[in-house]
Amino acid sequence: MPRQRVLSGMRPTGALHLGHYHGALKNWVRLQSSYDCFFFVADWHALTTHYQHREGLEQSVYDMVVDWLAAGVDPEQATLFIQSRMPEHAELFTLLAMSTPSSWLERMPSYKDMVAENRELATYGFLGYPLLQAADILIYKAGFVPVGEDQAPHVEVTREVARRFNHLYAPLLPEPQALLTETSRLPGLDGRKMSKTYGNAIAMRDAPEVVADKVRRMPTDPQRVRRQDPGDPTQCPVWALHQVYADSDTRAWIDAGCRSAGIGCLDCKQPLIDAIQREQAPWRERADELLADPKKVHWIVEVGTERARAVARKTLKEVRVAMGLAY
């Protein structure tokens, strides 16, 4: 029995940080052994919001792919490809646009909120983002799209687009299901969401000494002005990272030591530094091998792109026939 297909993508932001790993990549690695996984670099999607910033885009694409591979995404189990190398996505996007009501796109909360903040985003490309996303999914007839709960509405738009197409033309496009996954929203060094924009990230391939320096500089509970002052771990950004990286015994030791002032903040941070460095060691080793042979990375993407193209062309041919364009 063929495995059900999963599709997911990431915008090319360059080298990834720990938030990307715990929020998505860790889940991709788990899914690839159970599903027919298609993972793609969403470089067209990046241009919907950063159309004026094309410098370094190619470097960002391949830096990100290296991190995927370093994290354990296996090109023998999953299909990896680049969106912009697949004009079939753009064609399906155009064909779906013929019957998709514009009101479906205008009602997206993310569109309205972001345009209200930045009028330069009032473009056709950004308005059409959810429809391009639908084309990305439907062209592979993906059964599942792994998302957190906050992203489920995007999958619902894709389901509506598929339902309308199937009603108007032919029952060709399966409605994908949101594969609600347990995602860890990793906090950054300052307690906010980890993000390059905030400057509070630890990169997946940061050197051990860089990791140690970043963690040691993290702010802590403001009540602990002096070493002997007791603190409250729940008021400390370091504690939030311990929820991901520390076992129950370590957390109990930190909690008791902080509240009693039995340990200092640097004592609290050391187990976190050690855990992150242990996690990163195999990533850096695999990444070093890939960076020493960039042609291998390009070849992996090339093979995956052609594998994806074979699937996409078959779907597109069926869509053309259904819409009366088989001439």
Side-chain angles (χ1 to χ4, degrees), residues 307-325:
R307 194 186 303 161
R309 194 183 312 283
V311 177
R313 281 180 171 170
K314 185 174 184 295
T315 302
L316 201 51
K317 183 177 180 180
E318 295 170 348
V319 168
R320 287 175 182 155
V321 170
M323 295 183 71
L325 297 171

Side-chain angles (χ1 to χ4, degrees), residues 66-138:
V66 165
D67 280 335
W68 289 1
L69 298 169
V73 175
D74 182 358
E76 296 297 322
Q77 295 190 76
T79 298
L80 313 183
F81 65 98
I82 297 175
Q83 183 187 35
S84 65
R85 294 280 304 282
M86 300 289 296
E88 292 82 1
H89 287 224
E91 183 172 348
L92 183 59
F93 167 69
T94 301
L95 295 176
L96 294 174
M98 304 306 173
S99 58
T100 299
S102 57
S103 60
W104 289 7
L105 308 177
E106 292 164 349
R107 76 184 183 205
M108 295 298 291
S110 57
Y111 173 76
K112 290 187 285 192
D113 294 346
M114 291 181 73
V115 169
E117 292 178 14
N118 182 2
R119 289 299 301 169
E120 290 190 356
L121 291 180
T123 62
Y124 174 65
F126 188 55
L127 175 65
Y129 182 107
L131 188 58
L132 178 58
Q133 195 171 58
D136 297 331
I137 298 166
L138 296 175

Side-chain angles (χ1 to χ4, degrees), residues 170-213:
L172 286 178
L173 305 176
E175 296 180 30
Q177 302 292 323
L179 188 63
L180 293 175
T181 55
E182 188 178 327
T183 56
S184 302
R185 178 165 289 186
L186 201 70
L189 296 167
D190 57 1
R192 294 182 293 175
K193 179 183 175 183
M194 189 172 286
S195 168
K196 287 184 181 178
T197 304
Y198 296 153
N200 65 355
I202 297 174
M204 285 179 60
R205 288 183 269 139
D206 268 347
E209 61 273 16
V210 173
V211 172
D213 183 62

Side-chain angles (χ1 to χ4, degrees), residues 24 27 30 61-62 80-81 98 116 138 141 148 205 262 271 274 288:
N27 193 44
R30 183 179 61 82
V61 166
Y62 286 101
L80 313 183
F81 65 98
M98 304 306 173
L138 296 175
K141 298 186 177 181
R205 288 183 269 139
D274 295 340
D288 286 345

Side-chain angles (χ1 to χ4, degrees), residues 35 229 259:
Y35 295 89
D229 293 336
R259 294 182 188 279

Side-chain angles (χ1 to χ4, degrees), residues 261-292:
I263 63 172
C265 292
L266 289 177
D267 300 320
C268 165
K269 291 173 177 178
Q270 192 58 48
L272 177 60
I273 292 169
D274 295 340
I276 293 173
Q277 290 174 342
R278 278 195 304 272
E279 180 179 62
Q280 289 177 315
W283 300 341
R284 277 199 308 275
E285 184 178 341
R286 287 193 287 261
D288 286 345
E289 294 174 7
L290 293 164
L291 292 169

